[in-house]
Amino acid sequence: MTSIIKKSSGVLPWTIDEIEKIPAEKGVYVLRNLPTQNGIVLINYTDNLKQTLKEAWELKSTPETAWFDWYEVGTKEYGQDLLKKWIVKYSPKYNL
């Protein structure tokens, strides 16, 4: 099984400038209303981190988002497995 290839340098502020720095690769992203584990509101997998997060920023689909982090993965299967594991572990508000 493949692992995380690259990840954000910590929990980042939810700004378009930070989103522009993200790779356009498959991965898992975490949206937060606080920069802590308790602040996780959504975890999801995407085939294009940059595009998906830019769309989320523009649509303001989770308006309480103030922070985020991302994890580039080697395969879609690994990303989806990681997503499932983290949803069980963190129980984000919008994944329930």
Side-chain angles (χ1 to χ4, degrees), residues 8 10-14 29-43 53 62-71 86 90 92-94:
S8 59
V11 178
L12 306 168
W14 182 239
Y29 61 93
V30 180
L31 302 182
R32 303 164 181 262
N33 60 11
L34 297 169
T36 64
Q37 182 175 319
N38 293 340
I40 296 173
V41 295
L42 177 76
I43 304 171
L53 288 169
T62 50
E64 64 208 69
T65 302
W67 305 90
F68 77 106
D69 50 310
W70 55 267
Y71 303 83
W86 286 357
Y90 300 111
K93 176 180 178 178
Y94 292 107

Side-chain angles (χ1 to χ4, degrees), residues 7-8 10 12-32 41-62 65-72:
K7 62 183 182 175
S8 59
L12 306 168
W14 182 239
T15 66
I16 196 64
D17 291 337
E18 290 295 339
I19 293 168
E20 289 293 344
K21 299 175 190 175
I22 298 171
E25 301 293 338
K26 58 187 156 291
V28 175
Y29 61 93
V30 180
L31 302 182
R32 303 164 181 262
V41 295
L42 177 76
I43 304 171
N44 215 345
Y45 169 83
T46 179
D47 287 324
N48 187 322
L49 286 162
K50 183 179 233 168
Q51 178 183 339
T52 300
L53 288 169
K54 282 175 84 171
E55 289 170 2
W57 166 264
E58 292 166 3
L59 296 173
K60 298 186 181 356
S61 53
T62 50
T65 302
W67 305 90
F68 77 106
D69 50 310
W70 55 267
Y71 303 83
E72 182 183 337

